[in-house]
Amino acid sequence: MAQPPITPGVLRYRDAATYLGISHGRLRNLVSEGRGPASVTYGKRDRGFPVAALDAFILQRMTGHEPAPSEPVTLKRRPGRPRKTEQRDQRQMAHWSSIMMAAFLTYLLWAYGFLDMITGCITN
């Protein structure tokens, strides 16, 4: 007696994306933005999508009714090493700050007459 094939009730990312007709990257983006279908987590990284939730997501998209998010989703970067552009900006800022500081000190020495004393150009 042959058993009927088992149909899963929960699909992984790639299978759920195929079921919806979108790429798995697009599905990941929708989920991270909070606009994707309902999902079930099985730990830190395992996420599954119930077929019923995928069907409800399709119906929601067909009717054109998309609930507005209560507030915009902002993703915060974890603290750590700054990005390369941030490092470059910090180096440039330090460079120009040191140049401006040297120019300012030279001006002060000139304005108060100490520059002439230091260089030995004393005129009477």
Side-chain angles (χ1 to χ4, degrees), residues 6-11 49-53:
I6 298 173
T7 57
V10 178
L11 301 176
F49 298 91
V51 176

Side-chain angles (χ1 to χ4, degrees), residues 7 11 14-15 23 27 33-36 54 57 64-65 68 72 76 79-80 83 85 99 104 110 115:
T7 57
L11 301 176
R14 289 198 184 268
D15 297 330
S23 68
L27 180 60
E33 293 170 359
R35 299 184 310 143
L54 296 175
F57 182 73
H65 172 67
K76 292 185 178 180
R83 295 181 176 150
T85 56
I99 289 175
F104 181 68
W110 173 79
L115 191 60

